[in-house]
Amino acid sequence: MSFHGRCPILIPFAFQVPNMKEILLIGFYQPNEELTRFLVNAQQEFKISIRYLQEYSSLGTGGGIYHFRDQIVSGNPEAFFVMNADISSAFPLTEMLTFQKEHGEPNSFVILGTTANRKQSLNYGCIVENEQTNEVLHYVEKPGTFVSDIINCGIYLFNQDIFQHIGAVFQKNQQDMLLEEPTNGWHRAEAIRLEQDIFTALAGQGKLYVYKTLSFWSQIKSAGSAIYASRLYLNQYHTTHPERLASNKEGSPKISGNVYIHPTANIDPTALLGPNVSIGTGVTIGAGVRVRESIILHGANLQDHCCVLNSIVGWDSTIGKWARVEGTPSDPNPNDPYAKIDSETLFREGKLTPSITILGCNVTIPSEVIILNSIVLPHKDLNRSFKNQIIL
């Protein structure tokens, strides 16, 4: 199983897969202390090999797995999943395995798909399917006009045959570059995109099928989408693991909706939390505090009567008494069941796009100030209110 993308948040879902042997994280990012600690802790918790493989250059969704193909096939896997790590989903992995065995040839590949509205489908890879067999007949990445409302979810089930198709593209890239002016562009021959370079060519050949999920799915492309993703997971826990969520008890804070509280958090019983709140390890929350639609990371201190709405509070940050930290949600249209969250740009017309407020680690917010629609970089001690700003 390979994850290709930004963050390894998907590992717990991988354990739905029977007989899984190894997890590989592939990316162009320099490994750091946080990632190393995460991998060590995850291996100890799940008792399975988890490794990070760093690309020498950004190789694309296909080039990365092709570059490390020897690592992927070293255990001679019958099949393997490839997942972009910047998505939130119910991850129906076992269902995809069953679907693959029931559709097409034994060596066929499966894309996870879902339904989007017509306008937003243009922002994704679009899949035209045979409705009887679910074979992918046509695939277009981010088309200019409407093609299909079935979109690519960035979760794929492959077998080792996929490397033959990626290898053919790699060889073609090399041949094309021989005709160009001499450069050191041999790196570019290995930069391969699964979507444009592989799926487009495989469509209509009886090799590629789409499994459509009715469960939740969303991209995580912006800060605002992290709050939305948290809501989706908390909603899932309400159905599948209600014991993980906080409930109203005597002597405990008042809970509204779905709220996760780490057992090490210290919360005053007069606080009001929820809906859609996640409280990390060692968090301290004082009397009369109100938290809604927010993520509070470990070690944060929310002092008496402060208010946190639509925000992410970083590690070891402090919000003073009677302060207000608030952002603007960027949720999809609640009246459209197929609407997806929009990937907003950080700036619009030269101004910061109103979105959730983010406090980096070790930020101090004084008492009785307001931080609205702002991004505060780590290790800042603020001395006044801010609105619609990036505080460097």
Side-chain angles (χ1 to χ4, degrees):
M1 175 169 295
S2 301
F3 294 139
H4 192 284
R6 297 177 178 172
C7 55
I9 62 173
L10 316 179
I11 285 178
F13 293 92
F15 288 88
Q16 304 171 24
V17 180
N19 303 317
M20 189 184 63
K21 303 300 183 185
E22 186 176 41
I23 293 175
L24 302 176
L25 309 177
I26 300 175
F28 180 47
Y29 301 96
Q30 186 72 27
N32 54 32
E33 183 181 348
E34 287 289 336
L35 178 59
T36 301
R37 186 185 308 118
F38 172 84
L39 295 178
V40 170
N41 293 339
Q43 287 188 96
Q44 292 175 348
E45 178 178 356
F46 298 115
K47 305 297 187 296
I48 194 171
S49 172
I50 305 174
R51 293 185 290 147
Y52 176 67
L53 305 177
Q54 184 185 5
E55 300 168 342
Y56 64 88
S57 178
S58 183
L59 299 177
T61 53
I65 63 172
Y66 186 70
H67 181 72
F68 292 109
R69 61 193 180 280
D70 290 342
Q71 302 268 11
I72 295 173
V73 304
S74 61
N76 194 30
E78 178 182 345
F80 62 94
F81 285 94
V82 172
M83 293 183 275
N84 296 332
D86 56 354
I87 56 177
S88 62
S89 172
F91 297 102
L93 306 183
T94 55
E95 292 88 338
M96 291 178 68
L97 280 170
T98 301
F99 174 87
Q100 194 274 340
K101 294 175 181 177
E102 296 174 350
H103 288 72
E105 302 175 2
N107 293 328
S108 60
F109 314 124
V110 180
I111 301 176
L112 181 68
T114 191
T115 303
N117 63 38
R118 291 177 64 95
K119 180 179 178 181
Q120 290 184 315
S121 69
L122 305 181
N123 300 321
Y124 300 90
C126 293
I127 300 167
V128 178
E129 67 161 347
N130 181 318
E131 294 184 357
Q132 282 70 46
T133 66
N134 301 115
E135 179 191 351
V136 176
L137 301 178
H138 189 50
Y139 183 91
V140 184
E141 184 69 18
K142 297 181 181 177
T145 58
F146 177 75
V147 172
S148 170
D149 58 3
I150 304 173
I151 63 170
N152 177 5
C153 291
I155 301 175
Y156 316 122
L157 176 58
F158 293 145
N159 56 64
Q160 297 183 38
D161 285 359
I162 193 66
F163 295 118
Q164 297 178 14
H165 300 283
I166 301 177
V169 173
F170 175 60
Q171 292 174 5
K172 181 179 183 300
N173 288 350
Q174 286 184 314
Q175 293 170 358
D176 291 345
M177 292 178 64
L178 291 175
L179 303 176
E180 299 176 0
E181 291 295 326
T183 66
N184 63 348
W186 63 275
H187 286 180
R188 292 190 290 112
E190 204 174 0
I192 300 170
R193 305 160 299 180
L194 282 173
E195 298 78 14
Q196 294 96 321
D197 299 327
I198 306 300
F199 295 158
T200 300
L202 285 177
Q205 296 187 16
K207 287 282 189 179
L208 192 61
Y209 290 80
V210 56
Y211 174 75
K212 292 175 291 185
T213 179
L214 299 177
S215 300
F216 73 86
W217 179 88
S218 178
Q219 287 185 320
I220 307 177
K221 293 291 189 182
S222 64
S225 56
I227 296 291
Y228 180 61
S230 175
R231 183 193 309 161
L232 296 177
Y233 285 127
L234 290 171
N235 286 339
Q236 184 186 35
Y237 288 165
H238 182 79
T239 302
T240 60
H241 298 285
E243 72 281 359
R244 298 182 181 178
L245 301 179
S247 57
N248 285 296
K249 299 177 183 178
E250 186 175 352
S252 297
K254 184 177 180 181
I255 303 299
S256 173
N258 296 326
V259 175
Y260 170 80
I261 302 175
H262 193 275
T264 61
N266 181 19
I267 304 177
D268 190 277
T270 62
L272 173 58
L273 310 178
N276 184 27
V277 169
S278 178
I279 307 294
T281 59
V283 169
T284 300
I285 296 181
V289 170
R290 178 70 173 104
V291 184
R292 186 181 73 214
E293 298 284 342
S294 297
I295 299 172
I296 314 298
L297 298 177
H298 71 250
N301 181 7
L302 277 57
Q303 296 181 356
D304 296 352
H305 305 292
C306 70
C307 183
V308 179
L309 311 175
N310 300 298
S311 300
I312 297 176
V313 178
W315 309 292
D316 301 316
S317 290
T318 299
I319 300 177
K321 296 179 179 180
W322 296 101
R324 186 180 185 91
V325 175
E326 182 174 358
T328 300
S330 53
D331 298 342
N333 182 356
N335 299 316
D336 183 349
Y338 301 123
K340 309 302 178 189
I341 195 165
D342 289 322
S343 298
E344 293 186 343
T345 58
L346 190 59
F347 294 95
R348 184 188 302 151
E349 297 179 354
K351 298 180 180 179
L352 184 67
T353 304
S355 184
I356 69 168
T357 288
I358 303 173
L359 306 184
C361 68
N362 197 28
V363 168
T364 300
I365 305 297
S367 298
E368 302 182 23
V369 304
I370 298 175
I371 307 298
L372 178 65
N373 297 335
S374 295
I375 299 173
V376 184
L377 269 64
H379 311 293
K380 298 296 178 184
D381 292 337
L382 305 188
N383 56 14
R384 62 179 179 87
S385 298
F386 290 91
K387 176 181 179 181
N388 298 333
Q389 293 191 41
I390 298 178
I391 302 168
L392 304 176

